[in-house]
Amino acid sequence: MTGNQASAGHLLRLIRDGRATTRGELQRATGLSRSTVGHRLDQLFRAGWIRESAVPGDSPTGGRPSARLEFDRTHAVVLAADLETRHGRAAVVDLTGKVLAEHTGPVLIADGPDRVLDRVARWFPALLAEAGAAPEDVCGIGLSVPGPVEWSSGEVVQPPIMPGWDRYPIRERMGRAFAEHVGGRLGGDGTGPLPVLVDNDANLMAYAEQRTGYPDCAAFLLVKVSTGIGAGVVVDGEPYRGIDGGAGDIGHIRLHDRSDALCMCGSYGCLAAVASGRALAEQLTAAGVPTTSGSGVREQLAAGQPDALHLAREAGRRVGEVLVTVVTLLNPGVLVIAGDLAGTPFATGVRELLYQRAMPRSTAHLTVATSRLGDHAGLVGAAAMVVERLYAPERADARLAALEL
């Protein structure tokens, strides 16, 4: 490992990953001298990012036990928000993904970014107080949104169900709204304004589910079916977003036999126009079971409403038709079904079509499961996005330099 690849930030990554958790292991992993390792660890200690603890019984001779290095998850917190079409969730999350305080409230994404972001920002001060944290402890904000996001700019691009959000400067507005509601008392990372990161909800849910439940899965696929339909893909531990954030937008793949179905995007025949929560709500209402949204369909399914159960299974089969191609192309090890429709009837429909029509080679090692994190997946993914960005080696080194450590 070269000197540039063995900076304090790189040592931190080795510690966080568990690949090197003692000074001796760091020396062997990096090839650095004992004094150089000590100097770089001092930077991390002064920043409060790591701590040292003795491991009882670790010394075979009964002498002084080894000192184990670990990432100190208590030195900062992340604010996370997960926006749906009709409600939102906000939370204070520690640096390992544990939710410390959480709030869910009504939010209409169609009200536009100014009203929505301001409402969410108003929730944060009380959540920080509940978590026993101060605004100065916040190292960043992560935001999950139900639309395609251009990762480099953090802007939503041509979202079918987010009127008024196209190319809106979400990062700047969210940061400003939070500052207004905490009286300008911000933490940050020492290199500029408080970092605000934005990504698509399915991407972040996939990221969270893969990290917490399937960390060894090199090709992971999540499909979220709520008001709309989207997919998140994680390859080798990193979200795959495509060239401008459009990867995974399977809800707008056209079905060959439903040219009569008008989609929210303005086109006809989209998968979302036939098999999404919104589509099923309309079908249930037409069948005499008034339902207004994907969350309403979820309630009908929980109550065992027969029409809802039948429609959910058929919707799963339609989504399964599309997933045959997706699975054949990606060859994932795990497919997780999430969202309002992520129950047994829908999952059964997906499995039926997938295993019936895909080549056995494509599904021989495929696990199809429902979400483990449930409603927390977007929050956990949004927080993880912030932590991984801020403590990546290069960014960590820049932050240490700004703190003059």
Side-chain angles (χ1 to χ4, degrees):
M1 186 175 286
T2 67
N4 187 50
Q5 293 175 320
S7 65
H10 284 87
L11 266 60
L12 178 64
R13 181 169 65 179
L14 292 172
I15 294 168
R16 291 185 61 220
D17 291 347
R19 288 180 287 167
T21 58
T22 66
R23 293 170 186 262
E25 289 174 351
L26 287 170
Q27 287 177 244
R28 289 190 290 274
T30 62
L32 297 176
S33 67
R34 180 178 179 180
S35 61
T36 302
V37 167
H39 170 70
R40 292 178 182 173
L41 288 178
D42 285 344
Q43 291 180 281
L44 299 173
F45 279 120
R46 288 197 298 271
W49 294 357
I50 62 171
R51 59 189 176 191
E52 211 165 23
S53 60
V55 181
D58 193 50
S59 174
T61 63
R64 182 179 177 183
S66 300
R68 190 74 61 185
L69 299 162
E70 60 184 14
F71 185 55
D72 187 349
R73 63 182 177 86
T74 66
H75 76 267
V77 295
V78 176
L79 296 176
D82 179 18
L83 301 181
E84 299 280 357
T85 54
R86 302 172 69 89
H87 67 275
R89 297 181 185 85
V92 179
V93 185
D94 76 11
L95 299 182
T96 62
K98 180 182 179 181
V99 175
L100 304 177
E102 180 183 357
H103 175 76
T104 300
V107 165
L108 290 177
I109 204 75
D111 282 345
D114 283 316
R115 291 183 65 180
V116 170
L117 296 177
D118 185 69
R119 175 180 284 270
V120 172
R122 289 177 184 273
W123 295 342
F124 284 140
L127 286 171
L128 285 168
E130 181 181 341
E136 295 88 345
D137 297 326
V138 177
C139 64
I141 301 175
L143 188 62
S144 167
V145 298
V149 175
E150 185 180 75
W151 173 247
S152 60
S153 66
E155 295 174 347
V156 176
V157 181
Q158 299 178 11
I161 59 174
M162 298 178 69
W165 291 76
D166 186 30
R167 291 294 180 184
Y168 185 88
I170 296 174
R171 296 188 301 199
E172 293 79 2
R173 182 67 180 88
M174 185 77 254
R176 189 166 67 250
F178 176 58
E180 291 169 356
H181 291 299
V182 297
R185 297 160 50 222
L186 299 180
D189 64 356
T191 63
L194 185 71
V196 178
L197 300 181
V198 186
D199 204 355
N200 168 261
D201 53 1
N203 287 346
L204 293 177
M205 292 170 71
Y207 192 41
E209 295 278 359
Q210 188 271 336
R211 287 166 58 90
T212 59
Y214 308 92
D216 297 326
C217 181
F220 180 92
L221 172 66
L222 176 141
V223 176
K224 179 187 179 185
V225 186
S226 289
T227 297
I229 300 175
V233 178
V234 179
V235 177
D236 292 333
E238 294 293 332
Y240 176 76
R241 301 181 176 91
I243 60 171
D244 61 2
D249 203 4
I250 65 171
H252 300 286
I253 292 176
R254 308 288 176 81
L255 300 176
H256 71 281
D257 60 347
R258 290 304 309 270
S259 59
D260 61 315
L262 177 62
C263 183
M264 285 287 292
C265 72
S267 297
Y268 286 86
C270 293
L271 178 65
V274 175
S276 67
R278 181 191 295 272
L280 265 62
E282 293 173 352
Q283 294 167 37
L284 281 171
T285 300
V289 185
T291 310
T292 59
S293 64
S295 58
V297 175
R298 183 178 186 172
E299 293 170 2
Q300 298 287 1
L301 290 170
Q305 208 287 327
D307 290 329
L309 296 172
H310 170 73
L311 288 172
R313 184 164 180 166
E314 288 304 306
R317 290 173 62 85
R318 297 314 302 252
V319 172
E321 290 180 37
V322 170
L323 290 179
V324 169
T325 301
V326 176
V327 166
T328 302
L329 176 65
L330 293 178
N331 189 209
V334 177
L335 163 61
V336 165
I337 301 169
D340 288 330
L341 272 60
T344 299
F346 184 89
T348 298
V350 170
R351 289 188 181 97
E352 286 177 353
L353 257 291
L354 193 56
Y355 288 104
Q356 174 188 339
R357 298 193 180 179
M359 292 290 290
R361 175 68 182 82
S362 300
T363 57
H365 303 288
L366 175 66
T367 297
V368 180
T370 53
S371 169
R372 296 185 178 189
L373 295 174
D375 291 341
H376 282 134
L379 293 174
V380 173
M385 167 179 62
V386 173
V387 173
E388 292 306 314
R389 176 71 179 274
L390 293 186
Y391 295 93
E394 292 77 12
R395 185 65 177 267
D397 288 331
R399 295 172 66 199
L400 291 172
L403 293 170
E404 297 183 352
L405 297 172

